[in-house]
Amino acid sequence: TQGYAATGNHAVPGVKAIGLPIYDSSRTPIAAITVAATQARMTDRRISTVLPLLRMAAKEVTRLLHQ
């Protein structure tokens, strides 16, 4: 499992997106945080750059929801 969802050219033609879940206190996914860009810009290299930042954001939102 990669821990994130990726889609390309499905929901919106020419757009690729990656997303991570936001969890409630019982670790049930209740929302998601996503970054989308044109397929030309959302390369594998860009994903490897964006993904750690997106992971940090998802963890922070989850943490804030648990306060």
Side-chain angles (χ1 to χ4, degrees):
T1 69
Q2 55 192 4
Y4 66 94
T7 185
N9 210 31
H10 296 289
V12 179
V15 174
K16 190 170 186 178
I18 55 174
L20 287 154
I22 305 295
Y23 296 101
D24 68 9
S25 59
S26 65
R27 297 289 298 158
T28 301
I30 58 168
I33 186 167
T34 304
V35 172
T38 62
Q39 283 187 300
R41 294 194 64 189
M42 190 63 81
T43 62
D44 288 343
R45 185 173 180 177
R46 177 68 57 97
I47 290 172
S48 68
T49 300
V50 170
L51 194 53
L53 300 171
L54 198 57
R55 284 189 201 282
M56 286 191 306
K59 286 179 183 177
E60 180 65 5
V61 171
T62 295
R63 185 188 70 76
L64 291 169
L65 287 173
H66 297 174
Q67 290 184 345

